[in-house]
């Protein structure tokens, strides 16, 4: 994966999206396989993931040999600190924002429905209302799409 922490996600997610970061992180793996892997090809995608793993564990270096971690990549402060990203790190950063938006776009039905002991409800600003037919169909569509 090229994005795996709630800190990274919170730095990249639109301010008006209010959801638990963990809910989106679980959906991102599928989005990567559906959209990012075909775009990059498997060899480049695997190389990107290897570099991300180094970042995730704080073992990556920028072009000047400074150690960095994944949060340095999404932090706006890192520009002021003076990190000089490698081309692979730049690619990771460029892929992360579209990954967030593609995950949201692919899963609007899933993210707008609550499943609980009372059944399926539509999540709204005020409370949980009954899920309408269109809501249930969007939920079903997104679930089937994510099975691929």
């Amino acid at each position: 994966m090229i994005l795996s922490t709630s800190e990274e996600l919170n730095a990249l997610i639109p301010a008006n999206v209010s959801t638990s970061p963990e809910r989106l992180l679980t959906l991102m793996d599928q989005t990567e396989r559906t959209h990012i892997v075909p775009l990059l090809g498997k060899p480049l995608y695997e190389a990107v993931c290897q570099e991300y793993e180094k970042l995730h564990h704080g073992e990556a270096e920028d072009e000047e040999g400074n150690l960095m971690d994944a949060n340095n990549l999404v932090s706006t402060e890192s520009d002021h600190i003076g990190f000089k990203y490698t081309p692979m790190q730049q690619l990771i950063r460029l892929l992360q924002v579209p990954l967030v938006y593609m995950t949201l776009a692919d899963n609007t039905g899933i993210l707008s429905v609550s499943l609980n002991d009372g059944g399926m409800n539509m999540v709204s600003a005020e409370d949980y209302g009954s899920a309408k037919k269109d809501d249930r169909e969007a939920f079903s569509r997104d679930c089937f799409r994510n099975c691929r």
Side-chain angles (χ1 to χ4, degrees):
M1 289 186 66
I2 58 172
L3 197 153
S4 64
T5 68
S6 55
E7 291 83 9
E8 291 174 288
L9 184 57
N10 285 331
L12 297 171
I13 200 164
N16 62 343
V17 175
S18 176
T19 187
S20 164
E22 292 74 24
R23 288 182 71 192
L24 289 176
L25 288 170
T26 60
L27 298 168
M28 284 192 187
D29 182 51
Q30 178 64 33
T31 303
E32 281 188 27
R33 284 185 269 135
T34 303
H35 298 290
I36 304 296
V37 174
L39 178 70
L40 299 179
K42 193 150 179 88
L44 180 55
Y45 174 74
E46 288 175 354
V48 166
C49 288
Q50 286 176 351
E51 179 65 19
Y52 177 80
E53 280 301 310
K54 286 187 209 173
L55 283 163
H56 187 65
H57 295 291
E59 300 167 354
E61 295 181 356
D62 70 1
E63 286 196 338
E64 295 182 344
N66 299 308
L67 279 177
M68 21 180 335
D69 64 28
N71 289 325
N72 295 129
L73 209 54
V74 296
S75 172
T76 56
E77 288 180 32
S78 64
D79 296 327
H80 305 293
I81 295 171
F83 286 110
K84 303 247 189 255
Y85 303 137
T86 66
M88 189 66 75
Q89 292 163 352
Q90 290 174 19
L91 179 58
I92 293 168
R93 180 65 178 95
L94 288 171
L95 290 169
Q96 287 178 323
V97 172
L99 174 63
V100 170
Y101 282 101
M102 285 186 278
T103 300
L104 290 170
D106 278 352
N107 297 287
T108 54
I110 291 173
L111 294 170
S112 63
V113 170
S114 171
L115 295 176
N116 53 49
D117 292 339
M120 179 184 286
N121 298 347
M122 186 67 193
V123 179
S124 71
E126 295 176 17
D127 61 10
Y128 292 93
S130 297
K132 296 177 181 68
K133 183 176 189 265
D134 290 345
D135 302 326
R136 292 189 306 270
E137 287 173 357
F139 180 83
S140 178
R141 178 201 65 223
D142 292 350
C143 288
F144 279 116
R145 181 180 32 241
N146 282 308
C147 290
R148 291 184 238 146

